Amino acid sequence: MIVVPAERKRETVLQVDSYPLCIDWVSDGRLLAVAGGDARVLRMEPDGSIVPYADLNGVSAEVWNEIAVDPNDTAFVNGGPGVIAAINRDGTVRQVADGLAWPNGMVVTPDGSTLIVAESHAHQLTAFDITPSGDLVGQRVRADLGDDSPPTASASTPMVPSGMPTSHIDAADEYASAAT
């Protein structure tokens, strides 16, 4: 991971031998990074050192992908064989969802009550209510993204980072800004 501060001098602050590398922050400002191929999550300390935070191998030794942190600092990581793991503040890991069709991007809604997961192979956004203990309940389809052909970009339908054309995002939706 390369940081480019205002003075434009780039600095490598995190390098791992694993892919994918996805990041989010806990409430005290420390960075969490998923070293997906290694099935672990790393944490950057205030002094810049990198320490192990969580080992995901107990849930799945397969590749892990995205991370999203809720206001209680529960970190949700998806990947493996269609699962989501929750990581508590102390680094303990547990599986909180499974059976997802290639979970990819994730976001916690601004009020911290819902986790939304992009299921790439199901062509849908799936929502879960987040309990105070970090469990996921009330699984439901948040948005059906249509047919099973991959979206394509054009001048009139630009792509957002997740690969979903912006035409699929309802601008009136209170969470539209979180999807872009």
Side-chain angles (χ1 to χ4, degrees):
M1 182 170 74
I2 298 173
V3 174
V4 183
E7 45 290 341
R8 300 284 185 212
K9 181 184 175 200
R10 77 181 201 172
E11 175 187 0
T12 301
V13 296
L14 178 62
Q15 187 169 355
V16 297
D17 295 328
S18 175
Y19 72 92
L21 177 67
C22 302
I23 63 171
D24 204 348
W25 287 263
V26 290
S27 62
D28 67 6
R30 290 183 293 174
L31 176 81
L32 297 181
V34 178
D38 294 336
R40 60 192 176 120
V41 177
L42 307 172
R43 184 180 66 213
M44 181 180 286
E45 297 299 305
D47 66 1
S49 63
I50 306 299
V51 298
Y53 183 61
D55 184 344
L56 300 165
N57 280 294
V59 175
S60 174
E62 293 188 34
V63 175
W64 291 86
N65 192 11
E66 302 289 338
I67 187 169
V69 179
D70 77 5
N72 294 319
D73 286 339
T74 300
F76 298 98
V77 183
N78 68 29
V83 300
I84 299 175
I87 305 169
N88 297 324
R89 287 181 185 167
D90 65 1
T92 57
V93 178
R94 68 190 189 287
Q95 182 176 314
V96 291
D98 65 4
L100 299 169
W102 198 271
N104 205 345
M106 292 193 303
V107 65
V108 174
T109 57
D111 66 3
S113 68
T114 306
L115 178 72
I116 300 173
V117 182
E119 286 191 78
S120 296
H121 290 182
H123 306 278
Q124 66 187 22
L125 301 179
T126 300
F128 296 89
D129 297 320
I130 302 171
T131 69
S133 63
D135 290 319
L136 299 179
V137 298
Q139 180 176 348
R140 62 199 173 277
V141 174
R142 172 84 168 104
D144 182 341
L145 302 178
D147 67 25
D148 50 359
S149 61
T152 57
S154 69
S156 62
T157 308
M159 301 296 274
V160 295
S162 69
M164 181 175 62
T166 56
S167 63
H168 285 191
I169 300 172
D170 180 1
D173 186 323
E174 63 184 296
Y175 303 119
S177 63
T180 57

